[in-house]
Amino acid sequence: MSPLPPNTTPVPPPIFEPGMTSATTTTAPTPSPVPHRPKQPDSEPDPDPQPDTKPPAHPLPRIRLHLNDLSDAGTSLFLSSVSAAELLPSSIRTVQSHLYPLAPSTCSPTTAPTPTPWHLPPTRSITLILRPMDGVAYTSGLELDPVHHKEIHLSTTYLSSVPASRVGAEIAGVLVHELVHCYQYNGSGTAPGGLIEGIADWVRLGADLAPPHWKAGEVGEKWDAGYQRTAYFLAWLARRFGGDTVRRVNEKLRAGKYEEPGFWVELLGREVGDLWEEYKESVKKGKGE
Ligand SMILES: [Zn+2]
């Protein structure tokens, strides 16, 4: 898999929420709640422990956080809005479970996991770098080993511009989008950029992290316009052809190059242009959501 181009997530339009006068409001950020773990009471070890019922999970990569400048207001905002130690692993789990779900374990933990058709890429480390820059975020592979080691660059300049009440949710949504780039296939660099970005936002959508300005009925100029416009098209395809459809698209981009005609016909029996027309019709009739 060749490294993905560092496509920068576009800056969304400013969001004004009720009671706010401008995007630069000085309201204190609302921190994401830290999950509360009740203290376990002291007790004797359970003589008859239940079998481990935890769902099977993929391994996590090494996760690193790099803060370029602690005096940067956007860095402080990040640190006060989210718990990085919780959010990063849970966001990676979200991406893994959307694109590479494991079959539920049927017996004991010693049983080998049931094989699935999904192949998790061998991502070994992910470094989140907070620094001032234009745009929102982008993901790239490390020059020496772009397949195994990924870097997500998140703009502190952008974070400073997000309404304080939304910072935590926006960080979570952008992170899931960028983490998809750490775990998706791109047909050895041949897939349309809009499809790659659409799959990233399809996961963000499925994780219930869509920002308020996304609108389901907002149809793009073409199917691979990218980002949420393609994400809503992919979500419709998944309803039309089955929940695994986007996973099958991703898997096909692992197995070979993206070539039209052929790609969508082999996958869904139709050309993507025909599917796009059908999608637009269904949106017009109010069924595209
Ligand atoms: Zn992206």
Side-chain angles (χ1 to χ4, degrees):
M1 185 176 68
S2 60
L4 291 164
N7 286 340
T8 304
T9 299
V11 179
I15 300 155
F16 296 97
E17 295 179 357
M20 297 175 71
T21 50
S22 79
T24 53
T25 176
T26 54
T27 312
T30 309
S32 295
V34 177
H36 174 68
R37 289 208 183 82
K39 197 163 175 271
Q40 296 297 318
D42 294 333
S43 59
E44 293 294 313
D46 187 348
D48 183 20
Q50 294 298 307
D52 189 358
T53 52
K54 272 198 303 185
H58 288 293
L60 285 170
R62 167 74 80 89
I63 306 167
R64 307 192 300 174
L65 177 62
H66 178 98
L67 308 173
N68 218 47
D69 182 358
L70 271 178
S71 69
D72 186 324
T75 304
S76 303
L77 208 49
F78 177 90
L79 293 174
S80 61
S81 303
V82 298
S83 164
E86 303 269 353
L87 181 65
L88 281 158
S90 71
S91 302
I92 292 169
R93 293 262 184 252
T94 295
V95 171
Q96 291 177 338
S97 63
H98 274 79
L99 290 178
Y100 309 95
L102 290 166
S105 61
T106 45
C107 311
S108 74
T110 52
T111 311
T114 312
T116 69
W118 325 120
H119 296 80
L120 187 80
T123 307
R124 289 178 58 194
S125 80
I126 296 173
T127 305
L128 175 62
I129 298 166
L130 267 75
R131 66 180 180 88
M133 63 178 197
D134 291 337
V136 175
Y138 68 87
T139 296
S140 59
L142 256 63
E143 194 183 358
L144 281 175
D145 189 351
V147 170
H148 295 96
H149 301 287
K150 308 289 186 181
E151 274 183 358
I152 296 174
H153 295 245
L154 176 59
S155 169
T156 51
T157 319
Y158 171 67
L159 292 185
S160 299
S161 76
V162 176
S165 62
R166 264 207 48 78
V167 172
E170 181 64 8
I171 290 169
V174 170
L175 256 185
V176 161
H177 175 107
E178 297 302 327
L179 284 165
V180 172
H181 294 327
C182 299
Y183 278 100
Q184 74 186 138
Y185 295 104
N186 63 3
S188 303
T190 59
L195 176 57
I196 295 300
E197 297 302 335
I199 291 173
D201 272 350
W202 172 78
V203 176
R204 181 174 177 174
L205 188 62
D208 211 12
L209 290 169
H213 69 275
W214 287 15
K215 297 284 177 283
E218 198 184 356
V219 176
E221 296 258 305
K222 49 189 184 139
W223 76 269
D224 61 343
Y227 299 105
Q228 74 270 24
R229 290 178 178 85
T230 298
Y232 282 115
F233 174 54
L234 293 171
W236 175 81
L237 286 179
R239 288 193 298 278
R240 170 92 163 67
F241 294 96
D244 282 339
T245 301
V246 180
R247 286 183 274 280
R248 290 171 58 211
V249 168
N250 181 58
E251 197 60 35
K252 196 164 168 57
L253 292 173
R254 176 188 76 86
K257 293 189 171 174
Y258 181 91
E259 279 166 342
E260 276 189 52
F263 188 90
W264 296 92
V265 173
E266 285 163 26
L267 204 63
L268 304 174
R270 309 272 301 276
E271 283 298 349
V272 70
D274 297 338
L275 294 166
W276 178 242
E277 290 305 318
E278 193 185 324
Y279 168 67
K280 284 196 291 187
E281 274 305 306
S282 86
V283 169
K284 257 191 223 162
K285 291 177 190 158
K287 294 179 190 164
E289 301 205 355

